[in-house]
Each structure stands twice: as structure tokens, then as C-alpha cells.
Amino acid sequence: MNPSLSRRAFLKGGVATAATAVTAAALPGAAEAADPGGYLTTLFDLSLCVGCGECVTACKEAHEKNFPRPEKPFPAMVPSRVPVEDFSDEKDEEGRLTPYNWLTIQEAEVSVDGEEYTLYIPRRCMHCVNPPCVKLCPWGAAVQEKNGLSRINDALCLGGAKCRKACPWHIPQRQTGVGLYLDILPSLAGNGVMYKCDRCHDRLKDGELPACIDACPEGVQSIGPRDEMIEKAKALAAETNGYIYGLEENGGTNTLYVSPVPFETLNRAVEKGAGLPDLAPHGNSMAMAENMGAALLLAPLAGFAAAAGRIFFKLKKAAKQENAS
């Protein structure tokens, strides 16, 4: 049996689990992809999701060690209009994305051609093929790995929220009172750290499945190289007369959904708001292109800032180790 599959996944049985197992066997090679066709991609079959929340719980348990532990009282921000975002008293919140909840499930009750549907949509970072959060982070804290998955380095992030503004779904969430800015200029140089799904990059490097996939009792997700997942999504959509999301949105994403009803219909039905991404990507493409150009001009500064941040972080870590000895 593939070592990346837990006993729970092995006991699930069924066609969906078998497909996931085959795909999981290809993870080591896929995790070293060098081009978008091989980027590690997940496919959600929304017809299988029952909204049980096992994936949400597994995600929280897998990342609890990475969750922020803010220092209070927070430094006064200059200018004072800079908002404090504090979720430290809402750690158990699962109904929206927060720095303590990187995966949430949206519910949509719709009627199509006289047939009633209740669909559940697991939402997290879409891991774009060309992620604007990575391209526009001025400090190099947001990175895209060789396997195409994007993550935020919390040791370098200053919480400026450029990534959230650039994200077409406004996915990243900020926690004030943590991070590098507290050691630099706490009133001027930041406002915490941004958090989002990192696709369990540490588990993937060990050849294991992401926690949400491993915990799902219904086989909702499968994972593998993007080209393979696209073909699988197209086959599933053709078989079920369904619809695909993620092929074109924001230039393509490493998260694909297949739904038995149109996504425009789902988008009208889901609850929207802060921490609740809808299914209509936001953003002006022309403004984004201009921002991309500005980001290229800032690249040397960003590289310098990232390098300085890494040096500062290493010095701080060394000082802590020395004080502890």
C-alpha cells in the first residue's frame, strides 16, 4: 500500500478512493514539477461533498502549530486608520476563512430545470498558475514552489495585505500582533502576518497527502499533475453533464471544481462577505498588468528586503537559542 495513504483512506474503498490512491502514488514526481502542466493540482467533485467538515477539522489540526499567537496589547498603528485585524478570540470559527481556519465550506441551495440541489463547496486558496499574490508581494514573503503551490513565509511577512488585495478571491487573512514587524518598526512597518492554505507543503514533501484529502470520507478530492487533473475534470464533466471551474479563472488555477450545476448559479446562492470568497474572480486585468510592471521595478528592493528579513530572522533565532543554553 502507498505509504502516503492512512488506514482511514485505505478503508474507504470505492472508485473515488481508488482514483485518489493512484494519483497519490504519483505525488513524489509531481511535487518536483518545473512547468504548469506538471503543477500539483487538486480536483473537487462537488457532487460527492456532503459538507461533513472532516476536511476543515483535519486542516486545523494539521496547521495548529503554524497558527499565530499574538502579543497584546497591539502597537498603536500610524496612521491610526490602519485596521487591527484580530481573530485570536475566534480560533474555533469555521464558517469563514481566518488566520486560524484556512479551509471553509460554503453551501448553495439552487433549483435548475425544476430540480433542487444542495451543494457544498470547500473553499481555500486556489493556488493560481500565475499567482498575483506572489508577483505583487513587495517583500518576497509570498512564494510559489516548483510544484506550483503558493504559500506565505510567516517569518518574512509584514502583514501589508497586498496579497489579499491582489487575490481575485481575497483569500489571505491577517492577524495583527505577530511577525517580523514587531521587531522592526511596530508602528510603521507592518501590521501582522497574512495566512492562507499552504496545501500542506510539508506533508507533500514527505510524500503524504494533504490533510484535507486524507481525512475526507467521501473521496471528494483527487490530486496529481495539472494536465492529468484537467483531463480527469473534462471526463467527469462530460460523464455527468457538469461544469468546470478553474481552467480559465485568473489565467487558470491549481484547484479545479466540477459541479452538476453552473457556477454562475452557485455564485448567486452562496453567502458572500469577508472571509467568504465568491465564485466570480475580482480584479481589473489592466490595473493588474500595471501593478505587475510596478512589481518588476520593485524586484531589486523586494529581493534586498527579503534577504535582510532572513538575516534578521536568523540572528533573532540564534540569539534565542543562545539565551536558552
Coordinates of all heavy atoms in Angstrom, one line a residue, residues 8 13 15 37 89 172 179 198 206 210 230 297:
R8 N -7.3 5.1 7.5 CA -8.7 5.6 7.2 C -8.9 5.7 5.7 O -10.0 5.2 5.2 CB -8.8 7.0 7.8 CG -10.3 7.5 7.7 CD -10.4 9.0 7.9 NE -9.8 9.4 9.2 CZ -9.9 10.6 9.6 NH1 -10.6 11.6 8.9 NH2 -9.4 11.0 10.8
G13 N -12.5 2.6 0.5 CA -12.9 1.8 -0.6 C -13.6 2.6 -1.6 O -13.7 3.8 -1.5
V15 N -14.7 3.6 -5.9 CA -14.0 4.1 -7.1 C -13.2 5.4 -6.8 O -12.1 5.6 -7.2 CB -15.0 4.3 -8.2 CG1 -14.3 4.9 -9.5 CG2 -15.6 2.9 -8.6
G37 N 2.1 22.5 -16.7 CA 1.4 21.2 -17.0 C 1.6 20.2 -15.9 O 0.8 19.3 -15.7
D89 N -9.5 35.6 19.4 CA -10.6 35.2 20.3 C -11.7 34.4 19.5 O -12.7 34.1 20.0 CB -11.2 36.4 21.0 CG -10.3 37.1 21.9 OD1 -9.5 36.4 22.6 OD2 -10.3 38.3 22.1
P172 N -6.2 35.5 1.4 CA -5.4 35.6 2.6 C -6.0 36.5 3.7 O -6.7 37.5 3.4 CB -4.1 36.3 2.1 CG -4.1 36.0 0.6 CD -5.5 36.0 0.2
G179 N 4.7 38.5 14.1 CA 5.5 38.6 12.9 C 6.7 39.6 13.1 O 6.9 40.2 14.1
D198 N -1.5 26.5 2.6 CA -0.2 26.3 2.0 C -0.2 24.9 1.3 O 0.9 24.4 0.9 CB 0.9 26.4 3.0 CG 0.9 25.3 4.1 OD1 0.0 24.4 4.1 OD2 1.7 25.4 5.1
D206 N 7.0 15.1 2.1 CA 7.2 13.7 2.7 C 6.5 12.7 2.0 O 6.4 11.5 2.4 CB 6.8 13.7 4.2 CG 7.8 14.6 5.0 OD1 8.9 14.8 4.6 OD2 7.3 15.1 6.1
P210 N -2.2 15.9 1.3 CA -2.7 17.0 2.2 C -3.7 16.5 3.2 O -4.5 15.6 2.9 CB -3.3 18.0 1.2 CG -2.6 17.7 -0.1 CD -2.3 16.2 -0.1
I230 N -6.8 18.1 -15.4 CA -7.6 18.7 -16.4 C -8.4 17.7 -17.2 O -9.6 17.8 -17.4 CB -6.8 19.7 -17.3 CG1 -6.4 20.9 -16.5 CG2 -7.6 20.1 -18.5 CD1 -5.5 21.8 -17.2
L297 N 9.6 46.5 -11.3 CA 10.5 47.6 -11.0 C 11.0 47.5 -9.5 O 12.1 47.9 -9.2 CB 9.9 49.0 -11.2 CG 9.6 49.3 -12.7 CD1 8.8 50.6 -12.7 CD2 10.9 49.4 -13.5

